[in-house]
Amino acid sequence: MIEFSEQFISIKINAGEGTGREIAERYNINGVPQMVFVNNNEDEIDRIIGYRKPEDFIVRVQDILDGNNTLPDLQSRLTSDPQNNEIISALASKYVEMGNDEGATELYEKLLANSTGDVSEEINGARYYLAMKKFYDGDKGPIESFIKTYPSSDYVYEAYSKVSRFYASEKDTENEIIVLTEWSNKYPNDYSALNAFAWRMTELDTQLEEALVKVRHAVSLLDDKPDTQANIIDTEAEVLWKLGRIDEAVEAIEKAIKISPDYQYFQDQKTKFLESA
C-alpha cells in the first residue's frame, strides 16, 4: 500500500478551515474521508469516497492509473457511443459524487428516456435521484409517487431516511413524524428504521408509547449483535425515562452498560436517570 501510494503526490487537507476549506469547496467535498485524484492541471480524474480495505483500494486506484472508468474515460466513451445506457449511468454516478447536479440530471433524464418501462434498480436510481432533486426544490410529489410506484426498490428506504432528515432540518415536525411513521411501518423488522422513529419521538416528546413498542422490537432483532443492540437498548431506556418510568429506564441502561462497560455515555445516561428520580 505504501509503495503503491508513492506513484502519486499526496496532499492531506483539513476541509474545515483555511486553504483546505477553499479546496474542499472547489471540488465539492461534502464528507470525509474522501480522496480526489487530479491531473497536473488540477482537473479531477476520479474520486474515492469513504473507507476501503487496502486490497480493494489498490484495485480501484490501479484502474485510475490505467484510466479505466475514470471521468475522462467515461466522457470519451459516451462521446463515441452516446446512447449506451451503461456508460450514461456510470458517468451520471460520477457526476453525483462530484456534486455536479446539472450534469447528473441531464444524463439521468436521458437514461430514463432510453429506458421506458425498465424497473431495474439501475433505472430506479435515476428516477430516485431526479425525484429527490425536485423534492429539495420544493416539489414533494415526484418522491411520493416514486415510493408508491416502486415500493420494492431499495431506494425507497433511502428516500424515507433523507426526506425525514430534511423535514427535521426545516423544523417541519408534522411532516417529519408522518415520514418516520411510514418508514418504520413499511420496514417493521429493520432495527435502524424502528430506532430512528423511537429516538426522534424522545426528542419531540410525542408518541412515546408507540416508540417503546417499536424500539423493544428493534432490540429483539439484535440478539446476535450485542454491540449494536446496546445502542438500541439506550433508546429504549430514553423512551422509558421520557415516560417517567425511571426504574425501568435504569434497568434498561444497565443492560447496555453490561454489554459496553467502558462506554462513558451509558454511564452518564444512568446518572441522568437516577438524578431525575
Side-chain angles (χ1 to χ4, degrees):
M1 178 72 179
I2 294 172
E3 293 175 358
F4 192 78
S5 299
E6 290 175 354
Q7 299 176 80
F8 300 91
I9 298 174
S10 299
I11 302 172
K12 183 178 181 179
I13 68 168
N14 181 343
E17 60 184 36
T19 303
R21 184 190 297 273
E22 295 174 7
I23 294 172
E25 290 176 353
R26 174 178 176 179
Y27 291 105
N28 291 311
I29 305 298
N30 294 313
V32 294
Q34 191 161 162
M35 300 183 70
V36 178
F37 297 82
V38 300
N39 61 19
N40 57 0
N41 292 319
E42 299 182 12
D43 298 320
E44 181 171 344
I45 301 299
D46 214 323
R47 69 176 62 192
I48 296 176
I49 299 174
Y51 169 80
R52 296 198 183 193
K53 294 180 180 179
E55 56 270 25
D56 297 331
F57 176 81
I58 289 175
V59 170
R60 182 69 194 96
V61 175
Q62 187 62 60
D63 275 345
I64 295 172
L65 279 170
D66 295 338
N68 295 328
N69 294 315
T70 60
L71 182 63
D73 176 48
L74 291 170
Q75 289 172 330
S76 175
R77 288 163 56 194
L78 186 61
T79 299
S80 301
D81 191 2
Q83 298 303 317
N84 188 308
N85 282 356
E86 183 178 349
I87 300 173
I88 293 171
S89 179
L91 183 55
S93 296
K94 293 286 186 192
Y95 284 154
V96 171
E97 291 180 347
M98 294 171 58
N100 182 350
D101 291 336
E102 183 177 345
T105 297
E106 180 181 349
L107 289 178
Y108 278 140
E109 288 176 343
K110 183 176 182 178
L111 185 63
L112 291 183
N114 291 347
S115 310
T116 304
D118 189 333
V119 294
S120 67
E121 280 297 85
E122 180 181 49
I123 305 305
N124 280 339
R127 294 186 178 102
Y128 166 69
Y129 178 86
L130 294 173
M132 283 302 300
K133 187 174 186 299
K134 289 182 180 179
F135 174 80
Y136 290 133
D137 288 338
D139 181 3
K140 63 182 182 179
I143 196 62
E144 291 177 347
S145 176
F146 176 80
I147 289 172
K148 292 177 181 177
T149 306
Y150 308 100
S152 299
S153 171
D154 291 341
Y155 290 100
V156 170
Y157 186 96
E158 187 176 337
Y160 278 121
S161 178
K162 286 191 175 181
V163 169
S164 64
R165 290 201 301 271
F166 175 81
Y167 282 138
S169 70
E170 295 293 303
K171 294 181 170 46
D172 185 347
T173 302
E174 181 178 355
N175 276 315
E176 182 190 1
I177 291 175
I178 289 172
V179 172
L180 286 170
T181 301
E182 289 182 2
W183 184 19
S184 55
N185 288 343
K186 182 174 176 59
Y187 300 94
N189 292 313
D190 183 274
Y191 74 85
S192 292
L194 297 170
N195 187 64
F197 174 87
W199 185 261
R200 188 59 176 145
M201 293 310 106
T202 67
E203 294 178 328
L204 297 174
D205 203 15
T206 187
Q207 300 190 32
L208 294 173
E209 293 291 351
E210 182 179 359
L212 184 59
V213 172
K214 289 184 175 181
V215 75
R216 280 181 165 170
H217 181 51
V219 169
S220 73
L221 294 170
L222 291 166
D223 287 337
D224 59 339
K225 297 180 180 178
D227 289 340
T228 303
Q229 187 185 54
N231 291 312
I232 311 302
I233 292 172
D234 171 57
T235 301
E236 178 187 358
E238 187 77 7
V239 174
L240 288 165
W241 179 64
K242 284 283 187 173
L243 285 168
R245 294 158 62 172
I246 308 301
D247 290 344
E248 292 176 77
V250 172
E251 183 180 351
I253 201 64
E254 285 178 343
K255 293 178 182 177
I257 292 172
K258 186 176 181 179
I259 296 171
S260 301
D262 297 327
Y263 189 23
Q264 185 60 44
Y265 170 75
F266 292 159
Q267 301 286 351
D268 293 342
Q269 283 286 83
K270 181 178 179 180
T271 299
K272 179 181 74 174
F273 300 156
L274 292 171
E275 289 180 348
S276 67

